[in-house]
Structure formats: structure tokens, C-alpha cells
Amino acid sequence: MNALSAALASKRVLVSVGSGGVGKTTISATLALRAAVDGRSSLVCTIDPAKRLANSLGLNALGNVEAEVPASALEPLGVTARARLHAMMLDMKQTWDDLIVKNAPADKREKILANRFYQSLSSALAGSQEYVAMEKLWELRTQRDYELIVLDTPPTAHALDFLEAPNRVLDFLDNEAAKWLLTPALAAGKVGLSLFSLGSSYMTKAISRFTGTETLQELAAFMLSIAPMNESFRVRARGVRELLEAQQTGFVLVTSPGRERLDEVVHFHKLLKQNGMEIVAVVVNRVHPMPSPALWEEARSLIPARRAKVEQTLREMTLLAEQDARGILELQAACEGTPLVQVPRFELDVHDIGALWRTGRFLMGEEVIPLPPPQLAAGSGTP
């Protein structure tokens, strides 16, 4: 049993993290699929999956509510899931709106939802997507009975964006400087949100020259409306943090073997360790496999003109495999003690249930990628 198969048997939450374009969504869906087949009810919560992923799970589309994957979707695999598998796509705006509707005072909900500062927060503020993904995870874990939830997090350009997003959003909602600047309007409450109350402070006068009084008025209205929810946000943020640090939560770092990706995942690995979060494994996705001896032997049987072209292709494949192997050796050294799992680059994109299942065979260690000999990985060469 490798690290990922052990995690599928014991963890309640797996969080898939990494930069964009490395296949996190595919890895997340595959982990949930394997858990369901092995007998644990599972949910994969994705961020922005390609439509073909929904189709591969037998669904027309994924939405902001859980949808059960039909048993018929697994028929091509020749296996039967021993537990239910659900999937959903996180709609950031809808999740924020649901959060406001559930937690805001009844007389404040419509004002908050209509406020353009709230609309910016719920759709464009840096860190907002990461924050609401964590909020959704906390909600699902505390209010649903899935044995395993796999969260596919938003792609991050920098590791800190993911870890600091909740604090960044909370700071925005509970900004003492903003409250001080807007004291005249905040103190006036419902009645005094006027040009006169906003103009009574030298600072607000100065700022209004650049932003406009109407903008300040709307910001003041937003801060006033959201203020009763601040403690609730803080309580939930603490709950999220406790969930991420819990023994039954594990992180799966997903990367590709390219140099530009490796530096990011090493940094992410370091930060997660520093924050006391368990890293189950590093998945190196889309690794170029080493051409097998059988391919070289087959090339030698071709007519000379074709043989030269095929052998040139095999040499290029070998160089790519050696390059990936060198990156993986560096990653192993930098992330010492954390299991590394490799998934090959397939000829076609993962677009159906069969490809998800094959990906799972590599994740579970049931298949392995042909690797260059150590001397080739360290240097360069061809058979």
C-alpha cells in the first residue's frame, strides 16, 4: 500500500494544491473515484473543471451542489463502486451569496448583496476564491457525512496566496484603518450616510477628491452592513484552520517535472510543513516515460529511411525522460521524507472514465513509469 492508497483508506479530507496547469483537477477526481470504488463515500469539489471531466463522470455538467455520479459511468471499467461518488464545481459568487444569506442579519442581506464593494469581494478580490474554497470545505465537512472529501483548490501563482487568503479577506472585512476613516458615516448609521456626514472628516474629504463621495458612501454602507458578521467570519476562519491542521486532513501537492514548476512546489512544501499541515505525497504529473527497449528493437527492423526518423524521435523522447528524471531527483532531495508518486504524460488528455482509472493505477502504485538508469538521469545519453 503506497502513501496515497493509505490516505484514501484513513483520511476524511484531502486537499489538492499546486500551481495552474499541472492536472490538479484530474488528480482530485481520480482520488475520489478510487475511494468510492474501494468502499468510502466520496465527494470531489473542483474549481473550474473542463466540461469533458463532467462528461467522463457521466454528468452533463457540474454545479454548485453535489451531483451523484451514476453507476453506469463506471461500466466501461468493469468495476462497481462499493460506495457513492459525488462531484461538484465551486461557484465562487454563488457560494459567497449563500454565505451572506445564511449568516447576515435579515435586514442587511439585500443591501450587502447589492453593494458593489461586496460584488467585488465575491468575484475579484485577491484571495477571495481561495477563502471561499476553504469556507466551502468547512461547510461540507461539518454538514455532510461523506467519508472522504477531495478539494481541488484554485491554481496559485505563489504558495502564500493559498495559505494567507483567509487572513487577507478577514483583514479586508475588519480593517481598522478603514473604520477610522469612515467613522463619521459609520457612527451615523442608517440615517447619516449622506454627503454631509462623509464630508465632516478632513481625511474623508481628501480621499473623496480621488474616489468620489458616492464611492466612500457605498464603502461605508458596506462596512456598516457587514460589521455584524465579522465575528462569525473569524469563528469560521478558526474552524477552517483547525480542519486543515487536523490529523484526518492531508495535502497532496501536484506538480509537473518542469523546472519552473519544481521551485514552486518545493516552496509550497516548506510552507505547509512550517504551518503544521500533513503532506501525504507529492504527485509529479505528466512525466515523460523512457522509451522501452522493445521500441528501439522495433525501430531497427524498419527500412533505413523510416528507421532514421523513428530513432530520432526515440532519442528526443529519451532526452525528455532524462530531463524529467533529473528534476524528480532534485525534488526528492528537496522534499526528503515525503513520498513522491509519478504519473506519466499520456498520449491523449484525460477525458473519459478509463483515463481517470488508468491515472489511478499510477497514483496507487499499481503501475510505474519506465525510468532512465541513474547514470542517464544524472547526465545524458541514449541506448
Side-chain angles (χ1 to χ4, degrees):
M1 180 180 288
N2 75 353
L4 285 174
S5 55
L8 291 188
S10 61
K11 298 296 183 185
R12 299 293 308 277
V13 173
L14 288 177
V15 184
S16 175
V17 293
S19 55
V22 296
K24 290 197 310 296
T25 300
T26 295
I27 300 301
S28 300
T30 301
L31 291 171
L33 169 64
R34 288 297 301 238
V37 169
D38 291 344
R40 300 190 75 202
S41 59
S42 304
L43 167 70
V44 55
C45 180
T46 69
I47 299 301
D48 189 21
K51 182 175 174 56
R52 63 176 177 270
L53 176 62
N55 293 340
S56 72
L57 293 173
L59 302 169
N60 293 326
L62 295 177
N64 206 46
V65 294
E66 304 105 298
E68 184 170 359
V69 175
S72 59
L74 277 66
E75 289 176 358
L77 305 177
V79 300
T80 301
R82 291 161 48 205
R84 295 184 302 164
L85 171 63
H86 287 78
M88 65 177 293
M89 182 186 77
L90 181 66
D91 182 320
M92 184 171 74
K93 182 67 167 66
Q94 185 61 52
T95 302
W96 267 110
D97 290 353
D98 291 345
L99 188 62
I100 296 299
V101 169
K102 290 178 184 176
N103 295 282
D107 61 337
K108 299 281 196 282
R109 291 170 191 163
E110 292 305 319
K111 289 182 179 179
I112 295 174
L113 293 172
N115 187 282
R116 62 192 175 104
F117 281 94
Y118 165 73
Q119 291 168 5
S120 176
L121 167 69
S122 61
S123 59
L125 182 70
S128 182
Q129 192 174 33
E130 289 87 349
Y131 176 83
V132 83
M134 294 298 99
E135 277 275 352
K136 192 67 176 180
L137 175 63
W138 186 81
E139 176 191 315
L140 290 167
R141 183 67 283 158
T142 56
Q143 299 180 17
R144 304 289 194 278
D145 60 356
Y146 298 107
E147 293 175 272
L148 175 68
I149 296 173
V150 184
L151 176 67
D152 167 33
T153 60
T156 56
H158 303 287
L160 239 77
D161 291 346
F162 171 78
L163 293 174
E164 292 189 347
N167 288 337
R168 190 177 298 131
V169 173
L170 288 174
D171 286 345
F172 173 82
L173 295 174
D174 196 22
N175 190 303
E176 292 300 326
K179 286 182 179 178
W180 178 73
L181 290 172
L182 297 167
T183 294
L186 291 169
K190 297 179 183 178
V191 178
L193 291 179
S194 67
L195 303 183
F196 299 102
S197 64
L198 285 167
S200 61
S201 157
Y202 171 78
M203 288 298 297
T204 53
K205 272 184 179 179
I207 296 172
S208 67
R209 292 195 190 103
F210 298 98
T211 63
T213 305
E214 184 179 350
T215 298
L216 276 181
Q217 187 176 9
E218 198 160 2
L219 176 57
F222 173 68
M223 298 293 287
L224 188 64
S225 298
I226 206 78
M229 295 181 62
N230 285 353
E231 181 57 29
S232 173
F233 278 118
R234 284 192 290 270
V235 169
R236 294 167 73 89
R238 286 194 291 270
V240 167
R241 184 74 185 195
E242 291 170 1
L243 176 62
L244 295 181
E245 295 175 351
Q247 186 176 2
Q248 290 186 311
T249 297
F251 285 78
V252 178
L253 281 174
V254 184
T255 185
S256 60
R259 160 56 54 198
E260 69 282 0
R261 304 295 191 185
L262 295 182
D263 290 342
E264 172 71 17
V265 80
V266 169
H267 185 50
F268 218 146
H269 183 273
K270 180 180 178 180
L271 286 173
L272 287 172
K273 288 284 190 181
Q274 289 175 346
N275 281 270
M277 297 173 188
E278 180 184 351
I279 305 170
V280 170
V282 175
V283 174
V284 188
N285 195 26
R286 300 170 182 164
V287 176
H288 291 90
M290 194 73 173
S292 67
L295 289 175
W296 287 97
E297 188 63 34
E298 186 178 336
R300 294 186 184 99
S301 67
L302 300 173
I303 60 174
R306 182 169 295 179
R307 172 180 174 175
K309 292 180 180 179
V310 171
E311 288 186 339
Q312 177 59 31
T313 299
L314 292 174
R315 280 191 288 272
E316 291 171 359
M317 292 171 62
T318 299
L319 289 172
L320 289 171
E322 292 168 2
Q323 179 177 299
D324 286 357
R326 287 194 293 273
I328 291 167
L329 286 175
E330 291 180 28
L331 188 58
Q332 285 176 323
C335 301
E336 186 177 3
T338 300
L340 258 65
V341 179
Q342 299 178 42
V343 178
R345 177 181 291 276
F346 298 129
E347 292 182 8
L348 299 174
D349 288 339
V350 176
H351 64 282
D352 60 22
I353 197 77
L356 285 178
W357 187 255
R358 189 180 177 203
T359 298
R361 290 189 59 79
F362 287 94
L363 290 177
M364 301 300 109
E366 297 162 354
E367 288 190 47
V368 295
I369 302 174
L371 299 175
Q375 66 272 21
L376 292 185
S380 181
T382 57

